[in-house]
Amino acid sequence: MSPQFFFELSGESKDMPLAEAVRCLEAETDSFEVVKTGPGYMVASFDERFLQGVADRIALTHSMGLYLGEYTPDDTSGLESVVLPQGSFAVRAKRFEGMMKDVDSQGLIRRIGGILSKHNDVNLREPDVVVRMQMCDAVHLYLEQHVTDTDLLEKRKVGERPFFSPISLHPKYARALINLTGVKRGGTVLDPFCGTGGIVIEAAEMGMRAVASDFDEEMVIGCQENMDFYGLELADFETIDIGEIGERFPEMDAICTDPPYGRSTKTGGENIDHIYARAGESIPQSLKKGARAGVVLPHAVEFPTMTLENIYLQKVHGSLSRHYHVFRN
Ligand SMILES: C[S@@+](CC[C@H](N)C(=O)[O-])C[C@H]1O[C@@H](n2cnc3c(N)ncnc32)[C@H](O)[C@@H]1O
């Protein structure tokens, strides 16, 4: 039987972190099973050799590692049989969104630490392994094996790139959008409204073949400049209107895009709903049958020939919510 791994999901946006984690498992493993889910977490079983591949691409999971089981604040006796890897350890606690606020977390840490220290030494400053205690619908313990590198993602934020335009998804959400399509490493990902390249940068960083187009030549050149800056390459690019992608870029494995919202991005005078309707016609022509498109829009839309699998909401500020559509061709 495969080991079980705990995923500590981001609380930032409601269903997206769980959906992203599942799609990453679809893309990176040969088989997996979601064992349970709850507030801010997922437990899934799969072969450990796939863990690194999942960790390398996932964005809306804070940390993950080998699951050591579920306990209650009053009963941690089951921990007697848990064997940690060799070396010292420390137990570190987190509450998900203020849950279990009446539980004395420090007291619980001491009790759990006491049980685990029968076989391993405690080292609070520089432990060899960190045992995470996630307090939510139960007390979940796991061995922290991967922590998502938020610093790296921050460094690729729009203001850090040489070619700059204020409208761009945060790299974390660009990654999540790509992951929601379930595209495999090595697959070809097109962004037909590439702008400054926020999405194709992440696609290339994640090991996909990144293809970019935009009707504004300045954007296509700027996108390449940004790719160069990070030592990345576009597999293909072109200055074309959204209506031309079916002919120029057929058989894409995924299309991930953030079309104009109408405010500060240029549309050449075209009404945004008209652009979305045209995108809805050309995206399925450019995408392989059965493949997915991830499209971020300010409101919900339907594309006539594609199946809308889901819409995930990301609150931006005030009344602005981004709608992450996942369509299947
Ligand atoms: C919201 S921006 C994309 C932001 C991008 N994700 C980034 O990281 O910078 C939308 C882009 O759509 C382009 N665009 C607008 N109308 C278009 C059309 N009809 N065909 C292709 N591109 C278009 C604009 O030039 C702009 O670069």
Side-chain angles (χ1 to χ4, degrees), residues 23-327:
R23 286 280 151 75
C24 284
L25 290 175
E26 269 174 31
E28 293 292 328
T29 68
D30 58 1
S31 75
F32 70 95
E33 187 191 341
V34 175
V35 179
K36 58 185 159 190
T37 64
Y41 76 90
M42 171 181 87
V43 177
S45 70
F46 54 91
D47 193 298
E48 181 154 16
R49 71 181 193 277
F50 299 118
L51 185 64
Q52 186 66 49
V54 174
D56 285 346
R57 63 187 287 173
I58 206 158
L60 302 181
T61 286
H62 292 314
S63 68
M64 56 197 205
L66 191 68
Y67 191 43
L68 303 178
E70 176 183 326
Y71 306 87
T72 67
D74 304 322
D75 185 7
T76 48
S77 54
L79 263 178
E80 305 279 353
S81 58
V82 166
V83 182
L84 296 180
Q86 279 197 340
S88 60
F89 76 98
V91 181
R92 297 198 175 132
K94 257 194 200 176
R95 289 173 209 275
F96 182 73
E97 295 186 342
M99 293 176 87
M100 287 200 180
K101 58 178 183 312
D102 299 333
V103 175
D104 167 17
S105 59
Q106 289 310 311
L108 198 52
I109 287 180
R110 277 194 296 277
R111 177 141 49 87
I112 289 172
I115 299 173
L116 295 174
S117 65
K118 288 183 185 151
H119 304 289
N120 297 65
D121 292 335
V122 176
N123 181 341
L124 296 180
R125 276 173 193 274
E126 288 184 340
D128 295 315
V129 293
V130 172
V131 174
R132 283 270 167 208
M133 175 172 108
Q134 186 77 357
M135 301 165 75
C136 47
D137 56 353
V139 176
H140 298 276
L141 294 183
Y142 65 104
L143 211 58
E144 185 177 83
Q145 289 174 284
H146 286 285
V147 178
T148 302
D149 194 344
T150 43
D151 282 359
L152 259 185
L153 293 176
E154 281 294 312
K155 278 192 191 122
R156 289 198 297 271
K157 258 183 12 187
V158 64
E160 310 293 323
R161 301 176 205 148
F163 180 68
F164 175 87
S165 155
I167 304 287
S168 190
L169 294 183
H170 188 283
K172 189 165 56 175
Y173 282 95
R175 262 180 186 237
L177 181 69
I178 297 164
N179 282 330
L180 286 171
T181 68
V183 63
K184 289 193 189 294
R185 218 175 281 248
T188 306
V189 177
L190 165 67
D191 182 355
F193 296 99
C194 72
T196 61
I199 293 171
V200 282
I201 290 170
E202 293 311 315
E205 283 283 353
M206 291 159 78
M208 284 111 201
R209 298 180 71 249
V211 177
S213 65
D214 197 293
F215 78 162
D216 183 346
E217 187 172 29
E218 196 193 333
M219 289 292 171
V220 178
I221 294 169
C223 171
Q224 278 176 295
E225 196 185 322
N226 284 340
M227 291 286 283
D228 277 353
F229 181 73
Y230 294 110
L232 302 168
E233 258 181 50
L234 286 173
D236 202 352
F237 59 89
E238 194 79 86
T239 303
I240 46 171
D241 177 80
I242 182 68
E244 297 168 74
I245 59 169
E247 202 169 312
R248 177 64 179 79
F249 299 123
E251 296 291 298
M252 296 289 111
D253 294 307
I255 292 183
C256 299
T257 195
D258 177 25
Y261 274 34
R263 287 186 207 141
S264 24
T265 45
K266 285 194 276 174
T267 63
E270 189 175 358
N271 168 286
I272 52 164
D273 284 312
H274 193 251
I275 298 187
Y276 302 163
R278 291 202 301 117
E281 281 170 25
S282 52
I283 286 175
Q285 291 167 10
S286 169
L287 199 56
K288 275 184 187 154
K289 207 71 206 140
R292 293 193 182 94
V295 186
V296 185
L297 298 168
H299 54 255
V301 302
E302 299 225 13
F303 288 167
T305 65
M306 296 181 89
T307 309
L308 178 59
E309 288 190 331
N310 229 321
I311 298 182
Y312 304 96
L313 287 187
Q314 178 206 2
K315 269 224 160 292
V316 183
H317 51 73
S319 60
L320 180 62
S321 278
R322 289 191 169 123
H323 293 58
Y324 289 65
H325 296 65
V326 178
F327 294 101

